[in-house]
């Protein structure tokens, strides 16, 4: 077992903590020195205005990364190692701190030497003789816990680790840098070139692992990713608000966050598809239809091209023109890029005739011919200008155009589903749905290649349609992906049943699939209760297992329908007597009534929705079941499970939504119901 703080070896606990606290104060002084030195640097000394602006941005980021948070400590652990240089001690923290001579005072958790802090064990000590973890309260060290790895200590349990995982929380999600487990650390430190898919049960920390991997990649491949960028994609704005503090707390402020809707920014959503149409629009076959719709606009040369130049008229046969058009199509470049090349290819054909006549008009002649009105007009007729909205508007408005593009891909019945009953008169008047945004994005990429980022983290990936997955994947076409999700938490009709299938849609047939099934966040009583749903909604998927000693608290309260809101208020009031956050998760349609009940009881609360979280941190948050995914609270009240499940379009999706809702609690779950519980849950 780890050495308890009460043992006087090698020093009395008070002496050890006093020395470690002194080291913490020294580290804070050195961090302040580093920040002040950076603030004194003058960007105006750069060679020009552009470089000065860039240097100013770099310095601002550097200053931001050197901010100290007095609510926490600069280090959370320490390792004493035996290296080729002798005995060395390293304090492990959220960022690197060095003294005036450049010697490390705190080592960044992402540095190679820090790997041993997370992975060393008695079986494989990795050169570590002692590992020390610190208890922290409001920025001060309050306890320590030692493991002597070369002395036969076991690491099955750490009281400090357990206390940190179970520590009451409020506000946004916090980092897990001090509690990363060995299997999580292996994912975090995977090479940039590797795309990873993480199947993670509730409470396994998959979201935090993905964010920490982004931070590690930015540290380890800084030059490359500073140029190419890192993007985190989440399911909704409330989720992004919840996770938004994690990377800044680790010193990384250069990561962009987006939802799928904001990523596919191709117009305002003004229509809603029924489920069957949305499923069809999200089907990967639509990519074939859209490709055909674009490239069918390229015409065939049926008339010769005639180009006047000087006193002569040069005549290029149609078959020669068609050969050039076919060659451009075969090159596989984007539609618009090929269209820009066509005038030059046509001008080259004219130049060949001119040179065969014995005339050599000079190096600029071909460009002049390519820009001439006859060549540009001829090229435009063959290869018209297109835009994504125009192409999709025509497909949904014109049965003949859709039939031509969808021939052999979609049935007649499916084509009829896509056609608008009352077509918009123009593309500008079109009322696009959420599913249409992915189609517009696909078309935009067919016309002009989508720029690629260096790395994309995609969370809750199981809920994306194949066309949405394609849209995310193309933003990492030359980079890599960290894909996070849980098949059992798929809550859309198009939710994937296979990670291999989903990764193929993302363009990653070659990837590593890792399963996290050890639950650190959700206590045993809660996860076992929710796992009753698994056989009905995700047959064959293994149940997660909680590894926490504290089983948590579970209470299921049957209430009279007339007293359901009162029972919720009573449950919330009892929970607010303890520190930590309280989430009240209910069917979306119940929120107004529950909010009024809490107000009448004078219980202050916030209210989340799909677009944003609360601007103010509150102990009690009222959460619609539709956006609960990815959120976590110390204690949760779930209202009317049967109604949460019934709000979804089918039984499987409803039970999966309920599974998500029931697994948001870190310490305690209270279920309030007036209707009978779903059969799968009651059993």
């Amino acid at each position: 077992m780890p050495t308890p703080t009460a043992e006087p070896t090698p020093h009395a606990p008070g002496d050890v903590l006093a020395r470690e606290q002194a080291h913490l104060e020294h580290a804070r002084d050195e961090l302040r020195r580093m920040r002040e030195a950076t603030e004194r640097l003058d960007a105006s000394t750069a060679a020009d205005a552009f470089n000065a602006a860039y240097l100013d941005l770099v310095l601002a980021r550097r200053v931001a990364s050197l901010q100290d948070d007095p609510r926490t400590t600069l280090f959370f652990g320490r390792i004493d190692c035996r290296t080729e240089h002798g005995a060395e001690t390293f304090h492990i923290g959220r960022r690197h701190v060095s003294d005036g001579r450049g010697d490390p005072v705190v080592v960044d958790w992402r540095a190679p030497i820090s790997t041993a802090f997370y992975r060393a064990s008695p079986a494989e000590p990795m050169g570590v003789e002692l590992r020390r973890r610190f208890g922290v309260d409001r920025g001060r060290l309050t306890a320590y816990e030692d493991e002597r790895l070369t002395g036969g200590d076991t690491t099955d349990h750490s009281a400090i680790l357990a206390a940190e995982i179970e520590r009451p929380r409020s506000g946004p999600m916090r980092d897990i840098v001090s509690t990363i487990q060995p299997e999580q650390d292996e994912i975090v430190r995977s090479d940039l070139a590797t795309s990873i898919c993480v199947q993670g049960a509730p409470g396994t920390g998959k979201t935090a692992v993905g964010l920490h991997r982004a931070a590690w990649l930015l540290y380890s491949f800084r030059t490359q990713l500073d140029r190419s960028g890192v993007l985190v994609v989440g399911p909704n704005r409330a989720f992004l608000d919840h996770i938004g503090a994690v990377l800044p707390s680790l010193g990384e402020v250069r990561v962009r966050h987006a939802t799928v809707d904001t990523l596919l920014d191709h117009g305002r959503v003004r229509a809603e598809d029924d489920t069957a149409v949305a499923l069809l629009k999200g089907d990967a076959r639509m990519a074939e239809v859209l490709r055909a719709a674009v490239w069918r606009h390229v015409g065939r040369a049926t008339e010769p091209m005639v180009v006047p130049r000087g006193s002569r008229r040069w005549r290029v046969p149609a078959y020669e023109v068609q050969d050039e058009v076919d060659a451009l199509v075969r090159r596989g470049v984007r539609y618009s890029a090929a269209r820009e090349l066509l005038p030059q290819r046509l001008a080259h054909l004219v130049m060949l005739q001119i040179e065969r006549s014995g005339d050599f008009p000079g190096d600029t002649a071909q460009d002049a011919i390519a820009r001439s009105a006859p060549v540009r007009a001829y090229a435009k007729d063959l290869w018209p200008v297109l835009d994504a909205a125009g192409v999709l508007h025509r497909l949904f408005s014109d049965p003949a155009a859709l039939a031509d593009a969808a021939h052999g891909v979609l049935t007649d019945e499916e084509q009829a589903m896509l056609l608008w009953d009352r077509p918009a008169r123009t593309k500008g008047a079109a009322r696009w749905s959420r599913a249409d945004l992915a189609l517009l994005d696909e078309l935009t990429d067919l016309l002009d290649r989508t720029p690629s980022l260096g790395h994309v983290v995609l969370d809750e990936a199981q809920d994306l349609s194949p066309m949405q997955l394609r849209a995310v994947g193309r933003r990492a076409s030359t980079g890599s992906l960290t894909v996070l999700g849980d098949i059992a938490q798929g809550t859309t009709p198009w939710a994937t049943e296979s990670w291999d299938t989903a990764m193929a849609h993302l363009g990653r047939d070659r990837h590593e699939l890792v399963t996290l099934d050890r639950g650190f966040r959700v206590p045993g009583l809660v996860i076992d209760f929710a796992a009753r749903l698994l056989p009905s909604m995700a047959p064959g998927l293994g149940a997660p297992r909680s590894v926490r000693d504290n089983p948590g608290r579970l209470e299921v309260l049957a209430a009279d329908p007339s007293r359901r809101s009162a029972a919720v208020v009573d449950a919330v009031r009892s929970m607010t007597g303890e520190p930590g956050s309280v989430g009240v998760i209910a069917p979306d349609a119940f929120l107004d009534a529950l909010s009024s009940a809490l107000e009448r009881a004078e219980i202050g609360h916030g209210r989340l929705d799909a677009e944003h979280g609360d601007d103010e941190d509150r102990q009690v948050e009222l959460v619609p079941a539709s956006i609960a995914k990815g959120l976590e609270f110390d204690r949760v009240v779930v209202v009317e499970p049967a109604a949460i499940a019934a709000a979804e379009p089918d039984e499987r999706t409803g039970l999966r939504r309920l599974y998500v809702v029931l697994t948001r609690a870190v310490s305690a779950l209270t279920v309030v119901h007036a209707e009978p519980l779903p059969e799968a849950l009651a059993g």
Side-chain angles (χ1 to χ4, degrees):
M1 293 289 292
T3 304
T5 57
E7 286 195 17
T9 57
H11 302 283
D15 294 340
V16 172
L17 279 177
R19 284 194 298 276
E20 296 289 12
Q21 185 66 40
H23 187 79
L24 174 59
E25 298 306 321
H26 172 57
R28 286 205 151 110
D29 289 341
E30 294 297 344
L31 181 65
R32 185 182 307 110
R33 178 192 57 77
M34 293 169 64
R35 185 173 63 252
E36 291 172 350
T38 303
E39 289 171 339
R40 287 194 296 270
L41 295 175
D42 185 3
S44 65
T45 58
D48 52 52
F50 176 82
N51 284 321
Y54 178 75
L55 181 57
D56 190 56
L57 176 63
V58 171
L59 291 176
R61 287 175 174 171
R62 175 65 174 162
V63 170
S65 72
L66 294 173
Q67 295 299 320
D68 188 9
D69 184 352
R71 296 169 299 179
T72 186
T73 58
L74 291 176
F75 56 82
F76 46 80
R78 165 183 149 178
I79 50 176
D80 295 358
C81 303
R82 179 68 58 181
T83 71
E84 59 184 11
H85 305 295
E88 293 189 84
T89 295
F90 302 96
H91 285 79
I92 312 299
R94 287 171 172 79
R95 67 204 66 190
H96 177 80
V97 180
S98 59
D99 62 20
R101 300 185 302 274
D103 295 329
V105 177
V106 178
V107 177
D108 194 298
W109 67 276
R110 298 167 290 187
I113 188 64
S114 301
T115 305
F117 177 78
Y118 298 106
R119 298 194 201 174
S121 67
E124 291 187 51
M126 301 176 68
V128 177
E129 296 182 339
L130 178 141
R131 172 167 50 205
R132 176 171 290 168
R133 299 183 189 274
F134 296 103
V136 179
D137 182 35
R138 292 186 288 275
R140 291 191 63 81
L141 304 177
T142 58
Y144 74 94
E145 191 176 67
D146 286 347
E147 300 167 52
R148 301 188 182 281
L149 301 184
T150 56
D153 285 358
T154 63
T155 58
D156 292 336
H157 173 77
S158 164
I160 285 178
L161 203 62
E164 174 60 22
I165 291 172
E166 298 173 14
R167 177 164 58 91
R169 66 208 60 220
S170 62
M173 179 181 181
R174 59 175 181 250
D175 66 65
I176 63 164
V177 65
S178 63
T179 63
I180 293 174
Q181 299 298 294
E183 67 268 32
Q184 296 173 327
D185 190 65
E186 289 182 13
I187 299 171
V188 167
R189 296 177 194 268
S190 299
D191 187 77
L192 176 60
T194 303
S195 287
I196 291 184
C197 177
V198 180
Q199 159 62 37
T204 55
K206 58 183 178 295
T207 296
V209 166
L211 295 174
H212 285 67
R213 186 185 183 206
W216 182 83
L217 290 173
L218 284 162
Y219 175 89
S220 303
F221 302 91
R222 187 169 302 278
T223 301
Q224 183 175 344
L225 291 178
D226 270 346
R227 293 194 307 267
S228 57
V230 175
L231 170 69
V232 175
V233 182
N236 53 57
R237 177 52 57 186
F239 175 83
L240 294 182
D241 288 347
H242 182 62
I243 68 170
V246 173
L247 287 169
S249 75
L250 300 173
E252 297 298 348
V253 294
R254 298 158 297 152
V255 178
R256 178 186 164 202
H257 292 72
T259 66
V260 173
D261 287 347
T262 59
L263 188 67
L264 311 184
D265 186 16
H266 298 287
R268 188 161 58 93
V269 173
R270 298 194 296 161
E272 185 173 347
D273 296 317
D274 64 37
T275 300
V277 173
L279 275 167
L280 179 57
K281 288 181 177 180
D283 194 303
R285 292 177 298 158
M286 288 300 298
E288 300 177 55
V289 175
L290 299 179
R291 176 174 291 277
V294 167
W295 288 97
R296 275 171 168 72
H297 283 84
V298 179
R300 295 196 63 81
T302 58
E303 300 291 336
M305 181 179 68
V306 179
V307 181
R309 182 172 174 82
S311 60
R312 299 193 59 175
R313 293 164 62 85
W314 302 98
R315 187 175 185 274
V316 180
Y319 71 86
E320 290 189 11
V321 172
Q322 189 60 47
D323 286 345
E324 292 296 333
V325 171
D326 292 343
L328 279 175
V329 172
R330 287 194 301 269
R331 284 184 63 175
V333 296
R334 294 304 194 267
Y335 179 94
S336 297
R339 183 183 176 277
E340 292 299 317
L341 291 172
L342 182 59
Q344 284 289 339
R345 302 292 289 264
L346 298 180
H348 180 67
L349 296 177
V350 176
M351 286 291 294
L352 291 176
Q353 290 197 15
I354 293 173
E355 291 172 357
R356 281 197 293 267
S357 73
D359 188 10
F360 299 95
D363 295 337
T364 61
Q366 181 170 318
D367 284 341
I369 294 170
R371 292 193 302 269
S372 68
V375 171
R376 294 182 66 83
Y378 191 94
K380 183 177 180 181
D381 286 341
L382 274 177
W383 210 299
V385 176
L386 298 180
D387 66 87
V391 174
L392 196 59
H393 174 265
R394 185 184 178 201
L395 273 184
F396 290 171
S397 305
D398 185 345
L402 179 57
D404 187 35
H407 179 70
V409 181
L410 302 180
T411 65
D412 292 344
E413 292 77 11
E414 288 173 326
Q415 293 176 39
M417 291 169 61
L418 292 175
L419 290 168
W420 285 324
D421 293 333
R422 291 192 297 272
R425 295 184 61 183
T426 66
K427 63 185 181 184
R431 297 173 64 85
W432 305 119
S433 68
R434 292 185 72 245
D436 292 333
L437 298 184
L439 303 182
L440 291 167
D441 196 75
E442 185 84 20
L443 285 166
T444 300
D445 185 67
L446 288 167
L447 299 175
D448 297 283
R449 185 181 298 276
T450 302
S452 175
L453 296 159
H455 193 76
V456 175
V457 178
L458 172 61
D459 206 352
E460 304 297 350
Q462 76 281 345
D463 274 346
L464 271 59
S465 72
M467 292 302 294
Q468 290 172 327
L469 290 169
R470 287 175 60 87
V472 175
R474 70 176 58 101
R475 283 161 173 80
S477 58
T478 60
S480 56
L481 287 157
T482 299
V483 180
L484 313 165
D486 181 8
I487 296 293
Q489 295 187 60
T491 52
T492 57
W494 44 83
T496 188
E497 296 292 338
S498 162
W499 283 122
D500 284 343
T501 300
M503 294 302 289
H505 291 316
L506 285 161
R508 291 299 185 281
D509 290 310
R510 299 183 61 182
H511 63 275
E512 290 187 12
L513 176 62
V514 181
T515 298
L516 296 178
D517 61 3
R518 294 206 305 153
F520 303 98
R521 177 176 57 78
V522 185
L525 285 175
V526 173
I527 198 63
D528 291 346
F529 181 69
R532 296 179 188 178
L533 300 171
L534 287 174
S536 301
M537 67 184 203
L541 193 67
R545 53 195 177 93
S546 176
V547 297
R548 287 168 48 182
D549 291 334
N550 182 350
R553 301 195 304 272
L554 172 67
E555 189 174 15
V556 180
L557 302 176
D560 184 273
S562 63
R563 284 197 38 70
R564 181 173 54 204
S565 293
V568 171
V569 169
D570 290 344
V572 172
R573 182 178 285 113
S574 68
M575 289 180 170
T576 56
E578 303 175 58
S581 57
V582 178
V584 182
I585 308 179
D588 295 31
F590 286 31
L591 255 66
D592 288 341
L594 289 173
S595 182
S596 297
L598 291 171
E599 287 175 1
R600 288 194 299 272
E602 298 183 346
I603 298 177
H605 61 280
R607 183 165 170 171
L608 305 184
D609 61 40
E611 297 305 317
H612 57 78
D614 251 346
D615 293 332
E616 180 181 347
D617 291 342
R618 302 175 187 268
Q619 184 180 19
V620 179
E621 294 284 2
L622 191 54
V623 185
S626 60
I627 69 158
K629 187 173 294 182
L631 305 180
E632 60 182 37
F633 303 92
D634 289 292
R635 294 171 296 285
V636 170
V637 179
V638 171
V639 183
E640 214 59 83
I644 290 173
E648 301 300 329
D650 57 77
E651 182 183 16
R652 187 202 71 163
T653 305
L655 293 179
R656 288 184 171 187
R657 178 73 70 189
L658 181 56
Y659 179 74
V660 169
V661 167
L662 292 172
T663 53
R664 301 303 96 200
V666 176
S667 299
L669 171 66
T670 298
V671 177
V672 177
H673 68 100
E675 302 175 27
L677 294 174
E679 184 178 349
L681 192 62

